[in-house]
Amino acid sequence: MVGTNYYCRPHILQVIVMLLEFRVKNFKSIKDEVVLSTTLLKDKSKENLIKTGNKFYPNVLKSLMITGPNASGKSNVLEALYFMCYFITTNLDYKPGELIKPVVPFKLDDNTKNKPSDFEISLLINNIIYTYGFSLDNKEIYEEYLYSEKSGKRINIFKREKNKKFKPLKDEFEKEQLELFNRTDDNRLYLSVSASWKFKVTNKIYRFIKDKFSFINKLHRSNVNLYKKIQNDDKFKFLLVNSLKDVDFAIKDLKISTKKLVELEDRNKLFKFIEFSEGKEKAEKLKNNFENEIAYKLDLKHKYISNDKSKEAYFNITEESQGTNRFIKIFGEILNTIDNNGVIIIDELEVNLHPYLVNYINAYINSSNNKNAQIIFSSHCYNLLELKESKLRHDQIWFTQRKEDQSTDLFSLADFSERKDPNLNILKRYFEGRYGALPFIDKRKVDE
């Protein structure tokens, strides 16, 4: 399928999956381990929570906002989570001995630049807590593990170490796990290999990460699933059109049309765009096999008055503003994530959007319209720190800050010892420097 921007996967499963925690160490600007948590509930408010039914984590947060100065590591925290999910779902494509990419350790320390990077994720799936992690460099997997927790009891499902050391759970599936590990190359994850052979437990984790997580960042541009969703899901289209009306885009309807790629006279221009936006390899693959591919076109209906008569006109999405394109992309992704009970990660939510639109998106994802989905985003939209207006909790706001060694520090507003009062002027206190995470501007250079 051919499209011009990224959109998330179509609805697949209706299983409640919650992201509890993500940990990463030695990746890009992240040197020491940082932890992003949806369970750090230090605010007494009962707003913006998802009830899980779990004894140990009865509530998790609907959304997290990461903010801080430029070059402090906001995007790298989200990119680390993206890399973990992407590698889990694509590592089977690696041939034996092929280099793993893009694994980038912290380069500003001689003790870390040649060490592996560590990733760990904790999920709540149908009232069972699963923690999965791995350590790797660009050549091989050093460590990999999966354990579950239910009713306070921890079960080690498997643990893998370097030099082909592997310890599976001693149960009726022990022999099967050992056989599957023998099929696992040094640059592939056992989780993915065993899932490909339909091993029940690992397949569950693999499918949930593949089906429930979606990302909007600089690496994702195809919009084809969005166009398919608008075309085939009337409820989805209704909600998206209504949101466009809510935020005053003057758009009355959306229309999708399709055409076989072989019928497009200007398909070479499309190939060039795909090469620019998604890479030469993707463009070449499309060129060599496009007979059955479908091109999607999105047009937006506007109404106007001419000679005292009401008329309508359609604009192609390429004729609309970048803000319109961005809002349709983001809000469509959010609607799909809510429908899928999933997790969406958005880097720089506010790009091309007016602060009022960011407020609208933030209000929607934390409202009753969202029952079980989670949204994590980075943003410089500091008006969200006006908690009385944004309705965000202290524990939903996270900061990144560059430390003296130029590595990334990540911490929550809830870590500070102050009253959790929505009337407290957090924005004012932030710009006063009470929480750190501010850029240092040498005003003397400006005045010269």
Side-chain angles (χ1 to χ4, degrees):
M1 301 298 179
V2 180
T4 57
N5 279 303
Y6 171 74
Y7 188 69
C8 63
R9 309 171 189 90
H11 168 79
I12 297 176
L13 297 170
Q14 278 294 352
V15 178
I16 308 302
V17 180
M18 297 296 155
L19 172 63
L20 301 179
E21 191 175 86
F22 172 65
R23 295 172 178 265
V24 59
K25 177 181 178 182
N26 195 28
F27 180 78
K28 292 200 168 182
S29 65
I30 302 165
K31 176 186 174 183
D32 302 316
E33 183 180 75
V34 298
V35 183
L36 187 65
S37 173
T38 67
T39 64
L40 187 70
L41 305 182
K42 296 185 178 182
D43 197 316
K44 294 181 179 179
S45 170
K46 296 181 179 180
E47 300 297 320
N48 307 346
L49 296 173
I50 300 172
K51 294 182 179 181
T52 68
N54 183 267
K55 178 180 178 181
F56 299 98
Y57 298 106
N59 298 291
V60 298
L61 294 164
K62 287 185 176 181
S63 70
L64 299 178
M65 170 190 176
I66 305 177
T67 191
N70 294 106
S72 62
K74 298 183 298 298
S75 295
N76 286 340
V77 173
L78 300 186
E79 189 175 334
L81 180 53
Y82 166 76
F83 171 81
M84 183 178 194
C85 294
Y86 178 78
F87 186 66
I88 288 170
T89 58
T90 62
N91 72 92
L92 295 183
D93 296 335
Y94 284 98
K95 298 175 183 178
E98 185 178 354
L99 292 180
I100 300 169
K101 53 186 179 183
V103 184
V104 182
F106 183 73
K107 295 181 178 181
L108 300 179
D109 188 321
D110 291 341
N111 294 318
T112 59
K113 63 183 180 181
N114 294 315
K115 287 188 177 180
S117 303
D118 302 338
F119 304 84
E120 182 184 282
I121 192 169
S122 294
L123 304 170
L124 180 63
I125 305 175
N126 291 344
N127 210 29
I128 300 176
I129 300 167
Y130 292 94
T131 297
Y132 171 69
F134 56 80
S135 176
L136 80 170
D137 61 15
N138 66 348
K139 294 180 180 178
E140 61 183 320
I141 312 298
Y142 284 72
E143 183 184 27
E144 184 183 4
Y145 54 88
L146 173 65
Y147 61 86
S148 65
E149 292 179 82
K150 188 175 183 180
S151 302
K153 183 180 179 181
R154 171 170 165 167
I155 299 175
N156 294 307
I157 299 170
F158 73 81
K159 182 174 178 62
R160 167 191 186 179
E161 296 176 333
K162 197 177 176 182
N163 299 322
K164 295 292 184 181
K165 293 182 180 179
F166 185 72
K167 296 179 181 179
L169 176 65
K170 293 185 179 298
D171 62 2
E172 67 269 29
F173 302 110
E174 180 182 7
K175 183 177 179 181
E176 182 181 358
Q177 285 215 70
L178 287 169
E179 290 176 353
L180 290 171
F181 179 69
N182 288 332
R183 300 171 184 170
T184 305
D185 295 316
D186 290 343
N187 60 348
R188 292 180 177 179
L189 295 172
Y190 169 75
L191 179 93
S192 306
V193 171
S194 57
S196 72
W197 289 90
K198 307 303 180 187
F199 184 61
K200 186 176 181 180
V201 178
T202 55
N203 189 50
K204 178 192 297 186
I205 306 301
Y206 176 88
R207 293 306 311 177
F208 291 157
I209 289 175
K210 183 176 178 62
D211 298 336
K212 295 292 184 179
F213 281 76
S214 56
F215 296 80
I216 294 181
N217 60 21
K218 62 185 178 182
L219 302 175
H220 286 111
R221 292 177 179 146
S222 175
N223 242 350
V224 65
N225 285 331
L226 169 59
Y227 297 164
K228 289 171 64 178
K229 189 83 171 175
I230 294 171
Q231 184 181 47
N232 300 320
D233 190 329
D234 290 339
K235 180 183 177 182
F236 175 85
K237 178 182 174 181
F238 173 80
L239 291 172
L240 186 53
V241 170
N242 268 11
S243 71
L244 291 167
K245 294 176 181 178
D246 288 345
V247 296
D248 195 29
F249 274 114
I251 294 169
K252 305 303 180 184
D253 200 4
L254 304 173
K255 182 176 72 173
I256 296 290
S257 55
T258 60
K259 202 170 186 177
K260 287 187 177 180
L261 195 55
V262 293
E263 298 173 359
L264 290 180
E265 295 179 358
D266 58 349
R267 60 176 176 269
N268 286 330
K269 291 183 179 179
L270 181 59
F271 292 146
K272 288 181 180 179
F273 177 81
I274 295 295
E275 181 177 342
F276 170 76
S277 62
E278 300 187 42
K280 187 174 182 179
E281 184 178 345
K282 179 72 176 286
E284 288 297 325
K285 185 177 180 180
L286 189 60
K287 283 182 184 179
N288 296 329
N289 184 28
F290 65 84
E291 289 82 3
N292 298 318
E293 292 287 347
I294 303 296
Y296 287 79
K297 179 184 176 185
L298 173 61
D299 293 315
L300 299 87
K301 186 169 81 173
H302 294 258
K303 288 188 175 182
Y304 65 100
I305 303 295
S306 181
N307 298 324
D308 296 326
K309 292 183 179 180
S310 177
K311 296 185 177 182
E312 61 185 45
Y314 280 89
F315 289 71
N316 184 259
I317 187 65
T318 59
E319 299 176 280
E320 297 284 354
S321 71
Q322 292 187 36
T324 301
N325 277 263
R326 176 76 172 175
F327 183 85
I328 290 174
K329 176 179 179 177
I330 285 181
F331 205 77
E333 179 88 41
I334 289 171
L335 289 175
N336 198 66
T337 301
I338 290 173
D339 184 50
N340 193 33
N341 291 329
V343 181
I344 178 174
I345 316 299
I346 306 173
D347 191 19
E348 298 185 351
L349 174 65
E350 78 285 359
V351 170
N352 300 130
L353 297 179
H354 190 279
Y356 281 11
L357 299 192
V358 177
N359 289 346
Y360 176 86
I361 292 171
N362 173 69
Y364 193 93
I365 61 182
N366 286 298
S367 72
S368 59
N369 293 298
N370 175 20
K371 302 297 183 184
N372 296 305
Q374 292 173 290
I375 294 88
I376 300 174
F377 63 92
S378 66
S379 178
H380 287 289
C381 198
Y382 294 116
N383 61 303
L384 293 178
L385 297 181
E386 294 277 13
L387 304 191
K388 191 173 182 180
E389 298 297 326
S390 70
K391 308 299 182 186
L392 287 175
R393 301 156 50 103
H394 287 66
D395 42 25
Q396 287 181 281
I397 297 171
W398 290 70
F399 298 108
T400 53
Q401 179 172 272
R402 193 167 60 249
K403 298 190 288 187
E404 287 187 8
D405 62 2
Q406 300 186 58
S407 67
T408 293
D409 193 13
L410 176 68
F411 51 94
S412 171
L413 175 62
D415 292 337
F416 291 87
S417 299
E418 59 183 11
R419 67 184 188 278
K420 306 300 185 286
D421 184 353
N423 294 314
L424 200 63
N425 194 331
I426 299 298
L427 181 61
K428 179 175 180 291
R429 295 168 71 85
Y430 171 67
F431 281 120
E432 288 174 349
R434 293 173 182 260
Y435 311 120
L438 283 171
F440 172 76
I441 307 297
D442 191 343
K443 295 183 179 179
R444 293 173 301 175
K445 301 294 184 182
V446 178
D447 295 333
E448 287 179 355

